[in-house]
Amino acid sequence: MRKTGGDVDEFVAGVKPAKRQRDAVAMIELLREVTGREPELWGTIVGFGSCHYRSPSGTEGDAPIAAFAPRRESTTVYTLRTEAHGERLSKLGPHETGVSCLYIKDLEAVDADVLRDIVAEDYRRVLAGETGDVHYTVTD
């Protein structure tokens, strides 16, 4: 994955439906607050900061340190491993999970403080190199 250099505001202005656009604006503010970084487009993913990752299997690549994607059905929030957030997830509110994704259909229905804690914990872990068997190197 790599940065595509698109205009984040223009991208968000084109997000449909309107609820997903509203959630994208709120996610940008939340991730700005947590990371202290400005958003950049990685295709249709809005990312904050960048890192290089390498897994024990030899898979490697580049990715944002913190990111989300406004998809038609839900906002996808990317995490290191959702299983690491068990207690927090039980307090988050309505959502679904994948291995390293949170799917949120309505950002207003979840606890923003809990979501902020989840994102902040993953961001802190990447910066501190406390990510388990996958190694991350911050590149900006």
Side-chain angles (χ1 to χ4, degrees):
M1 182 183 325
R2 63 179 194 243
K3 295 176 198 176
T4 55
D7 184 294
V8 173
D9 292 333
E10 185 177 302
F11 170 72
V12 170
V15 169
K16 303 285 185 232
K19 179 191 328 188
R20 202 68 56 233
Q21 184 182 66
R22 177 201 72 207
D23 289 355
V25 170
M27 283 300 301
I28 287 171
E29 289 310 308
L30 185 146
L31 289 171
R32 266 189 183 127
E33 177 187 321
V34 167
T35 67
R37 296 171 184 263
E38 289 300 310
E40 297 179 282
L41 280 181
W42 298 63
T44 59
I45 294 173
V46 180
F48 295 75
S50 61
C51 62
H52 186 79
Y53 65 88
R54 185 176 314 114
S55 72
S57 68
T59 302
E60 62 181 287
D62 298 313
I65 301 170
F68 78 94
R71 305 292 185 223
R72 181 165 291 283
E73 292 300 315
S74 63
T75 296
T76 303
V77 180
Y78 297 97
T79 67
L80 292 175
R81 301 283 290 178
T82 54
E83 65 192 24
H85 298 290
E87 174 132 353
R88 287 183 183 106
L89 291 176
S90 70
K91 298 175 183 177
L92 179 60
H95 70 280
E96 295 181 21
T97 61
V99 173
S100 60
C101 297
L102 296 176
Y103 303 102
I104 301 172
K105 291 187 181 210
D106 185 355
L107 200 61
E108 290 182 347
V110 300
D111 187 317
D113 291 331
V114 173
L115 181 57
R116 186 178 294 104
D117 288 347
I118 290 169
V119 172
E121 176 64 15
D122 281 354
Y123 184 72
R124 183 200 65 75
R125 288 179 58 216
V126 170
L127 294 182
E130 300 170 358
T131 55
D133 59 349
V134 178
H135 178 72
Y136 292 85
T137 303
V138 175
T139 55
D140 81 348

